Amino acid sequence: MKILVTYTSMTGRNEKIAKYLADYLEQKQAEVTLEQIIDTDAYELDDYNAVIVDTYTYNDGEVPDEAKDFFDDLEDVDLHRTKFAVLGSSSKAHLHFGRAVDYFTMQLNSSNGEQAADSVKIDQDPDKNDFERINRLADTVLNSLK
């Protein structure tokens, strides 16, 4: 099982989440590629069995600047039913909590991806319950590939 975990992180929270997720998946015998969204080529996503996007929400509910090229390229990509999941850290203090997670979920669905797990939004730094939700997301993705 080849899984891409791609992330963008401003404060380090989402990088921590992405690394945790990649380690968890590797422990479950998945072949994981971990990279920043800025280095991810949307046109190569269907080389993977599954893609997991980890993003923060910027400013007033926006996709982060460093993720916009990747996000925009998804409009022109046919994922051929590639499994995907989206998660990310944000702040419930913001009116548009985790909206970039929603945007990526919609964009990946529009690109003919197959959502393998419900999206996960994390308030600030992940706690024990959040790590359990991340584990469930990973397990659901892995089970969808069997």
Side-chain angles (χ1 to χ4, degrees):
M1 294 177 282
K2 290 177 55 176
I3 300 175
L4 170 66
V5 176
T6 184
Y7 70 94
T8 184
S9 187
M10 178 184 282
T11 63
R13 284 187 192 117
N14 286 290
E15 181 178 11
K16 177 181 177 181
I17 291 166
K19 287 180 177 179
Y20 173 86
L21 179 60
D23 288 344
Y24 183 86
L25 290 165
E26 286 174 345
Q27 290 172 17
K28 301 284 185 167
Q29 310 309 313
E31 179 185 332
V32 179
T33 300
L34 175 66
E35 64 186 24
Q36 293 186 31
I37 282 180
I38 200 163
D39 297 324
T40 302
D41 186 342
Y43 298 96
E44 295 178 0
L45 293 184
D46 65 353
D47 292 346
Y48 297 91
N49 302 108
V51 175
I52 302 175
V53 175
D54 176 13
T55 184
Y56 66 93
T57 298
Y58 185 67
N59 200 18
D60 194 25
E62 300 164 23
V63 169
D65 286 342
E66 65 271 24
K68 284 185 179 174
D69 287 342
F70 172 74
F71 183 85
D72 291 344
D73 285 348
L74 288 172
E75 288 183 20
D76 301 323
V77 171
D78 183 351
L79 294 178
H80 307 288
R81 308 303 298 160
T82 299
K83 310 281 188 187
F84 76 86
V86 184
L87 74 161
S89 174
S90 187
S91 172
K92 286 187 175 179
H94 295 280
L95 176 63
H96 304 292
F97 172 66
R99 185 170 279 177
V101 170
D102 299 332
Y103 288 148
F104 268 105
T105 301
M106 289 185 288
Q107 190 76 305
L108 288 159
N109 270 309
S110 294
S111 299
N112 201 25
E114 182 176 331
Q115 188 169 354
D118 291 338
S119 299
V120 172
K121 296 179 184 178
I122 298 164
D123 184 27
Q124 306 281 338
D125 290 308
D127 61 20
K128 180 183 176 204
N129 289 335
D130 293 321
F131 284 116
E132 289 172 4
R133 293 185 321 140
I134 294 167
N135 291 351
R136 281 195 301 273
L137 176 142
D139 290 337
T140 302
V141 170
L142 289 170
N143 286 335
S144 76
L145 297 174
K146 292 181 179 175

